[in-house]
């Protein structure tokens, strides 16, 4: 059975801490860099395919 949280997040930083480590750790920095790269790529993709 799938659980839901009804989108009631009070602090998403806690979720990121649990998944990627606290802010300032190497794992967190790598995850943030990967997310930023993906986001930037999506923007460029939209610019050149529109």
């Amino acid at each position: 059975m799938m659980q839901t949280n009804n989108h009631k997040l009070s602090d998403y930083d806690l979720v990121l801490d649990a998944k990627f480590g606290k802010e300032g750790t190497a794992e967190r920095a790598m995850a943030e860099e990967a997310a930023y790269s993906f986001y930037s790529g999506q923007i460029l993709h939209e610019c050149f395919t529109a």
Side-chain angles (χ1 to χ4, degrees):
M1 182 165 106
M2 188 171 155
Q3 295 179 347
T4 67
N5 66 0
N6 296 323
H7 306 287
K8 294 180 182 177
L9 291 173
S10 58
D11 185 359
Y12 202 74
D13 198 47
L14 296 174
V15 176
L16 295 174
D17 287 351
K19 186 162 177 114
F20 301 110
K22 298 267 184 201
E23 207 164 328
T25 63
E27 295 82 7
R28 178 75 168 260
M30 288 173 45
E32 289 173 348
E33 185 176 334
Y36 184 75
S37 294
F38 177 79
Y39 173 74
S40 298
Q42 290 298 305
I43 291 173
L44 289 172
H45 178 73
E46 286 183 20
C47 288
F48 290 107
T49 59

